[in-house]
Amino acid sequence: MKFDFLRKHTSRREMLQASTTLAGSALLAHLFPTTLLRGSAMDKAQRAPSPAALLASMRAKFNAVPMEAQKLADNITMFDGPGGAVTVLNGPDGKFVVDTFVAPAWPKLEEALDGLGSAPVKYAIDTHWHFDHTDNNPHLHATGATVLAHENTKKRMSEPHDLPVLYRGADGALASLHFDPSPPEALPQQIFATSYDLRANSETVVLRHVAPAHTDSDIYVHFQNANVISMGDLFFNGMYPYIDPGTGGSIDGMIAAADKILAVADNHTKIVAGHGPLGNKADLAKSRDMLVTSRDRVQKLKSAGKSAMEAVAEKPFADLDPVWGQGIVNSDQWIQIVYLTL
């Protein structure tokens, strides 16, 4: 099934935006029961939801996005929906799964994988450490799969983290989303530093780490024979990306990662984005140009002595917002993310 990213009645973009922006008490009231918010609509000092409640609600919102399948090659399928995209190489040598959706989506993912055939999952490959790409590691490992990732993915999952600029509390202040260390059963069992190659199902699967970009744990997965590249969150197709400054992310790193993939891809390469529809080289080039424009405009404001919020007030992306600002990250957040990661 072809995923119509922009035209779905209740689109994946709309759901993801609602799940991560959380801008102000009206949206908090939409996402959380009144028992969590405590206080009347007239009370401007509404208490923010607990970190655990916020994270649970985000997972639930991701999980509400319908899963759709798209065949990319005879033995490669993309499942798009509850927390991004999952890419699966399938054949007699087993299934090789790239990324894993959010935890509540496990029954749907398990059913989808079973629908590809009876071969077991041999490897689950994490493109980076974030929860919407690693949540179902324990389930896949329990089925016998080896979880494979860059060494920094294991490191970051073993630590507590706070992701900044993810939501705005009732008092208007930006807050962070908190993550406790992942349990041992969620951690990758096999790690690598720079590169790792697999050969299975008549395919050469090339895993390559890139310099810090979205995080410091990012890899891309290149199915060379099929001419398919899974980029994880190095690529948000058609929307402003999230960059995690707390674990090494930077706008320059995102641009460099895009340049690296653009040098590998050709005009027929299918590029699986971490969020957004299936892309191609032209889509990635447009995203890369947007990143450069964003960086240059915010750098000019920052160099002029503007604070992050003063930069927001300047509305430097007014011309970009109609195309790029309707996704996971809104315009005001994107300005602050770029500012933090310069």
Side-chain angles (χ1 to χ4, degrees):
M1 291 175 281
K2 186 174 181 181
F3 189 65
D4 192 341
F5 179 68
L6 293 173
R7 298 177 184 172
K8 289 183 72 70
H9 176 67
T10 303
S11 73
R12 181 169 175 267
R13 171 175 280 178
E14 292 166 342
M15 289 185 176
L16 294 180
Q17 185 178 18
S19 72
T20 55
T21 303
L22 304 181
S25 58
L27 190 50
L28 287 172
H30 171 71
L31 290 176
F32 296 96
T34 54
T35 54
L36 285 177
L37 291 175
R38 297 189 187 282
S40 71
M42 300 298 293
D43 182 5
K44 293 184 179 180
Q46 280 182 318
R47 189 172 70 181
S50 71
L54 177 60
L55 185 54
S57 181
M58 288 182 68
R59 284 187 165 109
K61 287 289 182 179
F62 274 116
N63 189 46
V65 181
M67 182 187 297
E68 301 201 21
Q70 188 169 345
K71 203 167 185 63
L72 306 185
D74 288 343
N75 56 355
I76 298 178
T77 302
M78 180 181 79
F79 296 108
D80 194 24
V86 170
T87 311
V88 184
L89 170 68
N90 179 51
D93 297 323
K95 299 184 182 84
F96 296 73
V97 179
V98 180
D99 290 332
T100 73
F101 289 145
V102 291
W106 170 244
K108 289 183 281 191
L109 178 58
E110 182 180 33
E111 182 180 5
L113 292 173
D114 288 345
L116 295 177
S118 59
V121 177
K122 289 293 185 70
Y123 278 92
I125 300 168
D126 298 332
T127 58
H128 63 290
W129 75 269
H130 285 159
F131 75 106
D132 49 325
H133 298 258
T134 62
D135 255 3
N136 286 305
N137 284 0
H139 290 295
L140 289 164
H141 181 52
T143 69
T146 297
V147 180
L148 172 63
H150 185 260
E151 59 190 9
N152 284 346
T153 292
K154 184 173 184 178
K155 175 186 176 184
R156 296 307 189 181
M157 291 178 70
S158 302
E159 304 167 337
H161 289 287
D162 292 282
L163 302 189
V165 202
L166 275 175
Y167 75 99
R168 188 180 297 278
D171 62 355
L174 287 169
S176 298
L177 183 64
H178 178 74
F179 289 87
D180 290 324
S182 299
E185 60 270 20
L187 300 179
Q189 294 87 47
Q190 191 169 333
I191 58 175
F192 63 94
T194 57
S195 63
Y196 195 92
D197 293 354
L198 294 164
R199 290 175 177 81
N201 300 323
S202 302
E203 182 61 76
T204 298
V205 186
V206 173
L207 285 62
R208 294 291 183 267
H209 180 241
V210 300
H214 172 67
T215 69
D216 63 6
S217 63
D218 302 303
I219 66 170
Y220 66 89
V221 182
H222 188 186
F223 301 92
Q224 290 186 329
N225 297 340
N227 201 12
V228 172
I229 299 175
S230 180
M231 288 186 64
D233 284 358
L234 295 170
F235 181 30
F236 284 59
N237 192 10
M239 64 182 83
Y240 295 136
Y242 178 70
I243 305 173
D244 181 0
T247 56
S250 77
I251 182 81
D252 283 332
M254 289 288 283
I255 294 166
D259 286 338
K260 178 168 286 198
I261 302 303
L262 287 169
V264 173
D266 62 36
N267 292 334
H268 302 288
T269 305
K270 295 174 182 176
I271 304 178
V272 179
H275 300 276
L278 181 67
N280 56 32
K281 187 172 183 177
D283 295 323
L284 181 58
K286 290 176 186 175
S287 179
R288 187 259 183 205
D289 290 346
M290 177 273 294
L291 294 173
V292 172
T293 299
S294 298
R295 178 197 62 190
D296 293 349
R297 291 180 183 179
V298 175
Q299 183 64 72
K300 183 177 180 179
L301 294 169
K302 190 172 185 177
S303 297
K306 301 283 187 182
S307 69
M309 294 313 297
E310 287 171 337
V312 169
E314 292 283 335
K315 302 294 182 185
F317 302 151
D319 59 324
L320 302 178
D321 292 342
V323 174
W324 302 97
Q326 309 304 312
I328 293 174
V329 172
N330 66 30
S331 182
D332 289 357
Q333 288 172 314
W334 177 231
I335 295 165
Q336 293 172 79
I337 289 168
V338 175
Y339 192 99
L340 282 173
T341 62
L342 281 168

